[in-house]
């Protein structure tokens, strides 16, 4: 009888342990470990075209093919040296499938590494008309170098190009900027841009991405760049920055800037913009609107940006039509609401 009683006690104890474990899983205890393993996911893709392997000279393959070729560039590291890839109109450079983290980080097994002025050059030899319609997808691009003498056209991961599309790629560790000098009509989406720029290019061009022409930047992760994270300069317009995580850039997270009196429109919405401007450079912060009109900054989340979450100012051009509203500031300041042409509301 005592043995039966002991067996029943042990059995009840084991059942209790099992039920407790199942409850813990349902309440998110050990299940968190499972969730963290599934935070990253492989992004499926297909490519039908010229198949390229790491044993082949990638630059030569692209140079010898006609315009409009699709290159399926398989996993591996392609070392260019000081040369650059020079696609032609409507070429497609597509790597093998990538893994994308929940924060937008990209792990791309197709890696293109160089040490020249550009890794991918869409205006080689300063063409009268830049290459147009190129697609860059599923690539890891790094290593561009340059000096202050050749600024701003050196040290770019991707340089220039009209109607460019870049997606599901990581562009990092380029000395000037990750992407720079874009022509009109670029769409950059689902990318990671990080650790680009250098203090030698401050106040000129150091950035994650920079252009003076219209471009759309969306659904991406921009972090730890020396300079501005996302930047439109000159007399640019149709600047759209939406649904991104933009953190830890040493000047502004997003900068919309004109250098003279001209028209323009910018839409900066639904981004997380935190912990930028560690350099403490004045006129900067999470978002900076400098001497440029027509900016809408709305529905963003700020926090930890040095010298302010949103800065509006400058004397080179008017700020007409600037509307800053419905941002979550988390203690960051909004500066410039008292200026002519600026309206601020519901920024908490």
């Amino acid at each position: 009888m005592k043995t039966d009683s002991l067996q029943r006690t042990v059995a009840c104890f084991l059942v209790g342990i099992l039920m407790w474990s199942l409850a813990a899983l349902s309440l998110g205890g050990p299940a968190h470990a499972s969730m963290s393993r599934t935070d990253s996911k492989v992004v499926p893709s297909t490519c039908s075209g010229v198949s390229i392997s790491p044993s082949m000279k990638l630059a030569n393959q692209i140079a010898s093919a006609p315009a409009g070729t699709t290159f399926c560039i398989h996993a591996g590291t392609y070392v260019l040296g000081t040369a650059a890839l020079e696609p032609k109109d409507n070429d497609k450079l597509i790597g093998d499938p990538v893994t994308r983290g929940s924060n937008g980080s990209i792990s791309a097994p197709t890696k293109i590494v160089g040490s020249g002025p550009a890794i991918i050059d869409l205006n080689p030899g300063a063409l009268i008309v830049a290459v147009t319609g190129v697609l860059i997808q599923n690539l890891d691009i790094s290593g561009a170098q340059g000096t202050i003498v050749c600024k701003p056209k050196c040290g770019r991961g991707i340089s220039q190009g009209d109607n460019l599309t870049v997606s599901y790629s990581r562009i990092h560790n380029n000395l000037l900027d990750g992407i720079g000098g874009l022509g009109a009509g670029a769409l950059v989406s689902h990318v990671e841009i990080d650790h680009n720029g250098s203090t030698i290019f401050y106040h000129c061009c150091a950035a994650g991405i920079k252009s003076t022409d219209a471009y759309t930047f969306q659904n991406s992760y921009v972090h730890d760049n020396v300079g501005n994270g996302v930047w439109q300069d000159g007399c640019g317009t149709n600047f759209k920055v939406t649904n991104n995580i933009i953190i830890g850039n040493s000047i502004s997270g997003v900068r919309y800037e004109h250098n003279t009196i001209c028209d323009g429109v910018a839409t900066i919405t639904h981004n997380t913009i935190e912990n930028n401007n560690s350099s403490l450079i004045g006129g900067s912060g999470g978002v900076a609107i400098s001497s440029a009109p027509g900016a809408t900054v709305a529905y963003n989340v700020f926090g930890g940006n040095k010298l302010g979450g949103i800065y509006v100012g400058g004397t080179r051009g008017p700020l007409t039509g600037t509307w800053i509203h419905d941002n979550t500031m988390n203690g960051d300041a909004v500066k410039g609401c008292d200026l002519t042409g600026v309206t601020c509301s519901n920024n908490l």
Side-chain angles (χ1 to χ4, degrees):
M1 294 292 291
K2 290 182 178 180
T3 301
D4 291 343
S5 177
L6 178 61
Q7 288 175 340
R8 286 195 296 271
T9 301
V10 171
C12 290
F13 176 77
L14 292 175
V15 170
I17 289 293
L18 176 61
M19 294 179 66
W20 179 88
S21 299
L22 291 172
L25 285 170
S26 68
L27 291 171
H32 284 305
S34 176
M35 288 176 64
S36 66
R37 288 194 295 270
T38 59
D39 279 348
S40 296
K41 64 179 181 179
V42 175
V43 180
S45 69
T46 58
C47 184
S48 178
V50 177
S51 182
I52 306 291
S53 67
S55 63
M56 304 167 73
K57 292 189 179 296
L58 178 57
N60 291 348
Q61 294 291 322
I62 292 174
S64 62
T69 298
T70 296
F71 300 92
C72 303
I73 310 170
H74 296 301
T77 300
Y78 298 78
V79 180
L80 305 179
T82 58
L85 302 183
E86 298 180 356
K88 303 176 183 69
D89 288 352
N90 302 310
D91 278 358
K92 297 179 181 180
L93 279 60
I94 303 175
D96 279 350
V98 305
T99 301
R100 187 168 190 256
S102 59
N103 61 354
S105 61
I106 297 289
S107 177
T110 303
K111 302 180 187 300
I112 301 175
V113 181
S115 57
I119 308 304
I120 299 178
D121 190 351
L122 300 176
N123 192 14
L127 298 172
I128 295 175
V129 179
V131 174
T132 188
V134 168
L135 168 67
I136 296 169
Q137 182 176 305
N138 295 4
L139 299 180
D140 182 300
I141 298 166
S142 67
Q145 300 297 308
T147 68
I148 201 70
V149 175
C150 61
K151 71 173 187 179
K153 296 183 179 180
C154 58
R156 291 171 170 167
I158 301 172
S159 183
Q160 301 188 272
D162 294 336
N163 299 304
L164 172 68
T165 300
V166 184
S167 64
Y168 293 101
S169 296
R170 183 184 177 202
I171 305 101
H172 63 101
N173 293 100
N174 300 286
L175 196 66
L176 181 79
D177 46 33
I179 304 175
L182 297 174
L187 171 62
V188 182
S189 179
H190 297 89
V191 301
E192 179 179 8
I193 299 183
D194 65 284
H195 295 93
N196 301 286
S198 168
T199 55
I200 67 171
F201 295 113
Y202 266 3
H203 308 297
C204 147
C205 20
I209 177 172
K210 182 187 178 187
S211 179
T212 61
D213 280 304
Y215 70 96
T216 296
F217 189 84
Q218 63 188 24
N219 302 316
S220 295
Y221 180 34
V222 184
H223 64 100
D224 298 291
N225 295 287
V226 177
N228 297 300
V230 184
W231 189 2
Q232 188 188 64
D233 197 4
C235 271
T237 188
N238 294 325
F239 179 42
K240 298 177 183 178
V241 182
T242 187
N243 289 315
N244 304 288
I245 297 174
I246 302 171
I247 59 175
N249 302 285
S250 72
I251 310 184
S252 291
V254 181
R255 186 172 184 86
Y256 170 51
E257 177 178 13
H258 283 179
N259 56 17
T260 189
I261 299 173
C262 49
D263 294 332
V265 176
T267 305
I268 302 165
T269 57
H270 299 287
N271 304 285
T272 297
I273 304 172
E274 297 175 338
N275 300 318
N276 298 286
N277 199 26
S278 58
S279 63
L280 299 175
I281 289 176
S284 304
V287 170
I289 310 298
S290 179
S291 304
T296 297
V297 183
Y299 308 112
N300 303 287
V301 176
F302 293 88
N305 296 289
K306 304 298 184 183
L307 303 186
I310 304 172
Y311 165 85
V312 184
T315 59
R316 290 169 292 175
L319 299 165
T320 309
T322 300
W323 188 21
I324 300 170
H325 66 94
D326 294 289
N327 296 286
T328 301
M329 303 307 302
N330 289 314
D332 283 4
V334 181
K335 300 181 179 181
C337 293
D338 57 336
L339 298 175
T340 300
V342 180
T343 302
C344 299
S345 62
N346 201 33
N347 301 292
L348 304 173

